[in-house]
Amino acid sequence: MDTRRLVLALLLVPLVVFGFLAVRDQAGRERLLPRFDPADVARLELSRGGEALELRRAPSGEWTIPSAADVPGDPARIEAALDRLARLDGRPMEAKAPRPNREPVRLRLLDEQGKPLAEAAFWSREAEALPDGPRLAMEKPPALPLWPSAWSSQQPPRIDPAGVVKAERLTLAGPQPLTDSETAEVATLLGQLSPVGFVAGSRIDWKGARLLRVTLVDGSFIDLAQVPDGEGRYYLRLASDTDAGVRATRRLAFRVSKPLP
């Protein structure tokens, strides 16, 4: 064998080996949810324990999140997740294999008439089609977060910190002006609002909330309400009669890391 053919043969060996391993790896794998078409899904429900999230597609094709004050869903993220679920596969597990102790994320897919298309339970490395489908081992199950911001295109209002000229604490005794440094803290917090972790404000108990009123350079007001989220951070809700961005998100509570002064 001449040198050229020898080099070519050596180059082909890894390709043949990798091809063989790929075919062997695919053999014996099984589709988790083989009977649904992503185009038929009009509602996606996720739940675990007391947490629940619902995504709904309108006849026009737009997605919303009813469980989060009907904020707009992100069609690219949602449809990519549905496509992956339709192709998801794994290796069958023995019926007697021990189940994980952690509660699974449960998934339900329904059509426009509310007819179930597919249902499954997901753990960290396995999934099971419900009620009596296959139980499969998976190296990388899909991420199915239960927080709305993971599925939404909703953004917080944009507030220029430089536009905040005054802040007051609202008390039963009347408004109490904050110091300049405290006002600067509030302005910085408003300028750093993130969509990550927002929830519907109606889900929050606002009893005992810290209340502030912020005055902007144009003379308009933004009212703030804040309570702890129970996990070391805070929920912040904004309201305004004049700011369009704030009005658009008035039904939401955004998570922030620092308390209001």
Side-chain angles (χ1 to χ4, degrees):
M1 181 182 294
D2 60 34
T3 303
R4 181 179 299 177
R5 290 183 179 180
L6 177 60
V7 171
L8 180 59
L10 291 175
L11 291 174
L12 288 175
V13 167
L15 298 177
V16 173
V17 172
F18 290 147
F20 170 77
L21 292 176
V23 170
R24 188 181 67 175
D25 181 67
Q26 193 60 33
R29 299 183 72 87
E30 189 173 338
R31 193 75 62 87
L32 179 69
L33 302 170
R35 298 179 182 175
F36 89 92
D37 183 339
D40 294 334
V41 177
R43 202 160 86 220
L44 185 155
E45 298 175 353
L46 296 170
S47 63
R48 182 176 59 202
E51 299 177 274
L53 179 76
E54 179 185 353
L55 311 176
R56 186 170 293 181
R57 180 172 58 82
S60 61
E62 296 177 346
W63 286 91
T64 59
I65 307 180
S67 57
D70 290 317
V71 297
D74 185 325
R77 297 186 204 179
I78 297 171
E79 289 164 14
L82 290 174
D83 287 340
R84 186 181 177 195
L85 286 168
R87 295 181 284 105
L88 194 61
D89 63 7
R91 295 190 177 280
M93 300 179 64
E94 294 183 5
K96 296 182 180 180
R99 293 183 177 277
N101 293 326
R102 186 181 181 187
E103 190 169 357
V105 173
R106 295 185 178 272
L107 164 77
R108 292 183 74 218
L109 303 176
L110 303 96
D111 65 13
E112 291 183 355
Q113 287 72 45
K115 177 183 176 182
L117 299 172
E119 187 171 355
F122 292 86
W123 291 267
S124 60
R125 290 189 177 275
E126 66 180 80
E128 182 177 10
L130 302 175
D132 54 4
R135 182 183 173 196
L136 306 177
M138 297 179 178
E139 294 81 8
K140 294 182 179 180
L144 298 171
L146 286 126
W147 51 92
S149 60
W151 303 92
S152 176
S153 57
Q154 180 68 60
Q155 294 294 316
R158 293 186 177 182
I159 301 172
D160 182 0
V164 175
V165 296
K166 185 173 68 171
E168 301 168 294
R169 187 177 294 109
L170 302 180
T171 71
L172 293 176
Q176 298 180 353
L178 301 186
T179 65
D180 290 345
S181 61
E182 290 174 331
T183 299
E185 288 181 34
V186 176
T188 299
L189 183 148
L190 294 177
Q192 296 176 346
L193 292 178
S194 165
V196 177
F198 70 73
V199 298
S202 59
R203 295 177 51 189
I204 308 302
D205 182 1
W206 296 98
K207 187 185 302 181
R210 184 170 297 185
L211 305 176
L212 266 65
R213 170 165 288 181
V214 171
T215 303
L216 302 182
V217 69
D218 62 2
S220 61
F221 302 100
I222 299 177
D223 289 330
L224 311 177
Q226 187 187 67
V227 293
D229 70 350
E231 299 177 1
R233 303 180 71 195
Y234 302 86
Y235 286 119
L236 182 68
R237 193 170 186 176
L238 300 85
S240 174
D241 292 332
T242 55
D243 189 292
V246 172
R247 288 203 313 272
T249 60
R250 66 187 183 278
R251 293 181 295 173
L252 301 178
F254 295 94
R255 275 193 171 95
V256 295
S257 59
K258 295 182 179 180
L260 293 171

